[in-house]
Amino acid sequence: MSTAETKTAGLSWARVCKECGQQHEGQDSHLYEYPDDVDDELVCHICLQPLIRPMDTPCGHTYCFECLGSFLKEKDFCPVDRQRLQLHQCRPSTLLVRNLLDKLAVMCPYYAECQQQMQRCELQPHLHNRCPAFRRLREEAEKRKRPSWNELKGRKGDGDLSADAKHSETPPRSTARDLPDPGLINPAYEESEDDNTPLRSSLVSESNVVELFREEADEELGLRIVGGKDTPLGNIVIQEIVRDSQAARDGRLAPGDHILEVNDISLASVPHARAVAALRQPSLVRLTVMQEKGFKPREARPDQHPVPSGSGHGNAASAHNPGTVLQVTLTKSQRSEPLGIKLIRKSDESGVFILDLLSGGLAAKDGKLKNSDKVLAINGQDLRHGTPESAAQIIQASEVRVNFVVLRQGETQDEGRAARRVPEPQYFRRRSTYMKDPPGGFSSQEKTVSLKKEPRLSLGITIAGGRDCRSRLPVYITSVQPVGCLHRDGTIKRGDVLLSINGVDLTQLTYSEAVSALKAQAAQPQVALRVIQTISEDSQEDADAGGGDRSDITEDKREDAFNWTPLWTRWLGLPSHMHWCRDIVLQKSNNESWGFSIVGGYEETHGQQPFFIKTIVPGTPAHFDGRLKCGDEIVAVNGATTVGMNNSSLIPMLKLQKNKVTLTVVCWPGSLV
């Protein structure tokens, strides 16, 4: 064994920082080795090291974000001049200072083996794409046996992770799921012995830490989340990444990721509203997430030939995909040679797409990439929800070989699928046979307000929703203004859903129709307004969710009134007759599983619970179709209601659907953070 290999042999992959390559605790600053002296103006006065994520104080001093945050937990003054100071008063340093720090020369932490120096901002791409020692550590870790998903994900009812488990020296970073939770249906993870089925074993999941920083206290990260201990989902799960948001630009998070911790606080057993409050913290938000990486190929039996896999994102020749997943490697003559690819984003779909291949460029000469290909990954970095800017950075940081994984829409056999998805999705009211009670802990109550008023006096409410909005929500109240007559009465609250006004039904109207109806009836001298309020057993925690659901606050800024949206849990208590559903048809041509897991059904402790989508697996029919979302409620399968079913009834029904299944779902928008 070489000296370099001896040095890395004693390292624990779990404790190695995936950004700086050094071993340090998750809450500590990154560690770098600088070959040259660094200007004192770029040094933190607390740790006496070059600044990392510099923060400027109002009194004119600059510190590392982590150093200053730790210091101000115990003190309330600037370390240099001792002026009174709080963290929220500080601001990130200028772009010029951050660029100077990014350009500092550093040595690879495994310099003895790879002999590389680079700018500090290039160290992370170097580690993940080029460093042989870092790659060997990762491969060795993947070979080791790991505990099951259940030991990591903090499922509902398990409570917080124990101190021993949480701070273990070797917590796994990648896990293979073998058995589902009790009460968790896993039609996505079923294996088949059919000779024509791609060889897959268990799912591969990976635990990662993602840091996002709010430059403004009220800036949104751009995540919509569902779940919580007070819901059947149990875990906190990302439902959607908002386009052009900070999370979308960062590119590391994806729908379906399970959020295990926020700033080292476990979310394993917290209600939804408290998780929202944790994610709305100002400044730094450090997320520990469990991310599905798809199926891991299993070794072929002696009498069976392995089926090649396109990538971890899906099978290259899987017929259920709305297209084909391809691997393409471009080799540059020198590192600085351009590839000749123009990348864009689309208005109607997340991700990165190839707009054009420049004539005479490397990609055009190679001929394997095509216009309109969707870029799933470059050099192993997931770009399913990335941006052209992040893709360009990965390409620029690469050596001579650039590995693409792309999704190409089919030109012949997939035309039927494309035609099937062209029409606008058809929504319909939940049928009487699909009716059910809300999940345990959620309910609703009707309220009626009758009042006499002057014809010119405004009701004083603002509304949102309507059956023409994206999720076909009912019309709900976003604010009750102090100048209106309803504020004085005090019965109507923000978040209440409108039922009728003076007998005019409002539940099936579009937004503009509801506005017209309210204006017309508000001109009457007497108004009778019926609303419905959803209730959860933990209403106080709803009130604590960053002010988002506090119904006692009335003096809102006008822009807040228009931007306010209810928490996801508010919709769970809505009566079934107010739900709008849609049918989603999934298709596949082999015995692979559908690619989603669900929770719910009849439980002795909770009674009848709705079935919810909990996980959607990369590289499966549900993933490539793109319409199912985590948190969707399944109300029927092929027209047969799921109401009253338990797991043992629904599992066979899903397994029997070999090539096509129709899921009737209700989708509520996740809470925005």
Side-chain angles (χ1 to χ4, degrees):
M1 182 181 290
S2 68
T3 304
E5 289 178 347
T6 303
K7 180 180 178 181
T8 59
L11 295 177
S12 165
W13 172 254
R15 296 191 62 191
V16 170
C17 174
K18 307 310 182 288
E19 183 168 337
C20 69
Q22 302 276 13
Q23 290 198 96
H24 63 78
E25 296 298 328
Q27 66 271 20
D28 295 340
S29 294
H30 298 301
L31 303 175
Y32 298 98
E33 298 179 29
Y34 300 92
D36 306 316
D37 291 336
V38 178
D39 192 307
D40 288 343
E41 297 296 326
L42 299 178
V43 172
C44 173
H45 291 290
I46 297 177
C47 67
L48 303 181
Q49 295 295 317
L51 291 157
I52 297 175
R53 299 184 56 200
M55 298 289 291
D56 294 337
T57 67
C59 52
H61 301 102
T62 306
Y63 306 96
C64 301
F65 176 83
E66 297 286 355
C67 297
L68 185 60
S70 299
F71 182 87
L72 293 179
K73 287 180 180 178
E74 300 180 1
K75 310 292 183 180
D76 61 353
F77 53 81
C78 173
V80 173
D81 59 17
R82 304 181 74 83
Q83 290 190 34
R84 304 282 287 188
L85 181 65
Q86 293 183 334
L87 187 61
H88 69 81
Q89 298 174 309
C90 304
R91 290 291 180 265
S93 298
T94 63
L95 181 61
L96 174 62
V97 172
R98 299 201 298 269
N99 286 343
L100 289 173
L101 290 165
D102 283 343
K103 292 180 179 180
L104 291 176
V106 298
M107 298 169 58
C108 174
Y110 311 103
Y111 183 83
E113 182 169 348
C114 77
Q115 299 288 309
Q116 293 291 316
Q117 292 187 22
M118 72 270 335
Q119 292 183 353
R120 196 170 80 176
C121 62
E122 295 179 348
L123 178 59
Q124 185 178 13
H126 163 78
L127 292 172
H128 288 271
N129 299 316
R130 301 185 292 275
C131 181
F134 191 84
R135 184 187 307 116
R136 185 172 61 253
L137 271 175
R138 180 173 56 205
E139 290 173 351
E140 290 172 353
E142 290 173 352
K143 291 178 183 177
R144 300 190 191 104
K145 184 180 169 95
R146 303 168 182 84
S148 68
W149 160 268
N150 294 342
E151 295 178 46
L152 278 172
K153 73 186 182 74
R155 69 180 186 273
K156 183 180 179 183
D158 284 351
D160 291 335
L161 295 174
S162 67
D164 291 340
K166 185 176 178 181
H167 300 290
S168 170
E169 293 244 329
T170 58
R173 289 291 179 182
S174 179
T175 62
R177 280 200 276 187
D178 299 321
L179 295 174
D181 294 344
L184 175 62
I185 304 173
N186 286 309
Y189 314 139
E190 174 189 357
E191 293 184 39
S192 171
E193 296 299 322
D194 191 293
D195 288 343
N196 295 323
T197 302
L199 295 174
R200 293 176 167 182
S201 59
S202 53
L203 271 173
V204 175
S205 304
E206 187 173 280
S207 174
N208 291 302
V209 176
V210 176
E211 292 184 347
L212 300 174
F213 186 76
R214 286 186 171 97
E215 295 193 4
E216 300 294 336
D218 58 350
E219 181 183 7
E220 292 174 349
L221 298 178
L223 305 176
R224 286 194 178 275
I225 65 166
V226 296
K229 80 160 188 179
D230 51 341
T231 75
L233 283 177
N235 293 51
I236 298 296
V237 185
I238 297 177
Q239 181 195 59
E240 184 180 356
I241 306 291
V242 178
R243 180 181 173 83
D244 293 329
S245 66
Q246 184 176 156
R249 292 190 296 270
D250 179 83
R252 288 176 289 175
L253 296 173
D257 290 352
H258 289 232
I259 303 178
L260 306 181
E261 294 182 350
V262 177
N263 292 348
D264 301 320
I265 299 174
S266 174
L267 300 186
S269 59
V270 303
H272 182 86
R274 192 176 298 171
V276 171
L279 286 162
R280 287 177 176 168
Q281 294 179 48
S283 301
L284 176 70
V285 179
R286 180 190 294 108
L287 307 179
T288 303
V289 296
M290 186 64 68
Q291 300 179 307
E292 300 285 7
K293 297 300 180 181
F295 287 100
K296 177 181 178 181
R298 54 183 165 88
E299 295 182 2
R301 301 192 301 269
D303 60 339
Q304 196 172 36
H305 297 288
V307 178
S309 175
S311 74
H313 298 270
N315 291 333
S318 182
H320 61 65
N321 297 350
T324 303
V325 178
L326 303 171
Q327 281 186 320
V328 176
T329 299
L330 299 180
T331 303
K332 300 181 284 187
S333 58
Q334 55 183 357
R335 182 177 175 183
S336 59
E337 181 184 5
L339 301 183
I341 301 174
K342 287 186 177 180
L343 301 173
I344 60 165
R345 67 184 74 191
K346 291 186 177 181
S347 60
D348 58 346
E349 186 175 354
S350 62
V352 181
F353 295 83
I354 295 177
L355 172 65
D356 192 20
L357 303 177
L358 300 182
S359 178
L362 181 60
K365 290 178 180 178
D366 180 79
K368 295 177 183 176
L369 293 175
K370 303 293 183 183
N371 293 351
S372 301
D373 284 353
K374 180 174 183 178
V375 181
L376 302 180
I378 299 178
N379 288 347
Q381 298 196 41
D382 190 347
L383 288 170
R384 286 172 295 157
H385 302 276
T387 64
E389 293 78 13
S390 58
Q393 290 176 358
I394 298 171
I395 293 173
Q396 291 170 3
S398 64
E399 295 289 348
V400 294
R401 291 170 62 87
V402 186
N403 299 304
F404 286 82
V405 179
V406 298
L407 175 66
R408 181 170 302 161
Q409 294 294 331
E411 298 176 356
T412 54
Q413 72 260 31
D414 292 322
E415 288 179 356
R417 294 188 188 90
R420 173 173 53 86
R421 293 186 56 189
V422 167
E424 182 71 16
Q426 297 298 312
Y427 288 81
F428 53 89
R429 296 179 66 174
R430 190 163 180 158
R431 301 186 181 107
S432 59
T433 53
Y434 298 165
M435 298 301 178
K436 52 84 187 174
D437 293 330
F442 296 91
S443 59
S444 62
Q445 67 177 20
E446 286 193 22
K447 300 184 295 185
T448 301
V449 174
S450 297
L451 48 87
K452 294 181 178 180
K453 55 179 285 298
E454 295 293 330
R456 294 184 179 181
L457 184 61
S458 168
L459 292 177
I461 59 174
T462 59
I463 63 171
R467 296 308 187 180
D468 55 344
C469 72
R470 180 181 173 189
S471 297
R472 303 306 194 268
L473 301 175
V475 179
Y476 60 92
I477 295 173
T478 58
S479 72
V480 182
Q481 302 294 329
V483 296
C485 55
L486 289 176
H487 173 261
R488 292 196 297 269
D489 179 83
T491 303
I492 304 300
K493 303 292 184 182
R494 180 165 67 175
D496 289 349
V497 175
L498 296 174
L499 297 179
S500 68
I501 182 169
N502 290 345
V504 177
D505 184 17
L506 302 174
T507 60
Q508 310 302 322
L509 301 185
T510 65
Y511 174 80
S512 58
E513 290 170 344
V515 170
S516 299
L518 287 169
K519 286 183 177 179
Q521 297 302 319
Q524 304 297 321
Q526 186 161 345
V527 172
L529 186 66
R530 288 177 57 238
V531 302
I532 193 165
Q533 176 187 5
T534 56
I535 303 169
S536 70
E537 291 180 352
D538 209 345
S539 58
Q540 182 57 45
E541 288 178 333
D542 278 344
D544 293 337
D549 266 351
R550 292 181 61 182
S551 57
D552 58 332
I553 293 180
T554 55
E555 296 182 1
D556 295 329
K557 295 180 181 179
R558 187 168 182 80
E559 63 176 9
D560 290 339
F562 285 105
N563 293 332
W564 180 87
T565 57
L567 295 185
W568 177 71
T569 47
R570 273 193 180 264
W571 302 114
L572 299 186
L574 205 63
S576 289
H577 69 269
M578 298 190 68
H579 295 185
W580 275 36
C581 309
R582 66 167 172 163
D583 287 338
I584 294 177
V585 180
L586 300 180
Q587 294 184 358
K588 61 186 178 73
S589 59
N590 51 36
N591 289 329
E592 289 182 304
S593 53
W594 292 108
F596 60 89
S597 67
I598 58 182
V599 291
Y602 180 78
E603 301 174 4
E604 290 187 5
T605 54
H606 297 95
Q608 182 65 43
Q609 297 282 357
F611 288 101
F612 288 93
I613 300 285
K614 184 167 186 176
T615 304
I616 296 175
V617 184
T620 62
H623 168 256
F624 282 112
D625 180 87
R627 290 174 292 174
L628 276 181
K629 297 182 182 298
C630 294
D632 284 1
E633 180 189 342
I634 299 181
V635 302
V637 176
N638 290 343
T641 179
T642 61
V643 177
M645 282 190 177
N646 54 26
N647 295 348
S648 59
S649 301
L650 190 54
I651 289 174
M653 179 183 293
L654 290 167
K655 286 184 177 180
L656 285 172
Q657 315 310 315
K658 296 299 183 181
N659 303 110
K660 179 179 178 181
V661 66
T662 300
L663 304 176
T664 304
V665 302
V666 174
C667 180
W668 302 118
S671 301
L672 183 62
V673 295

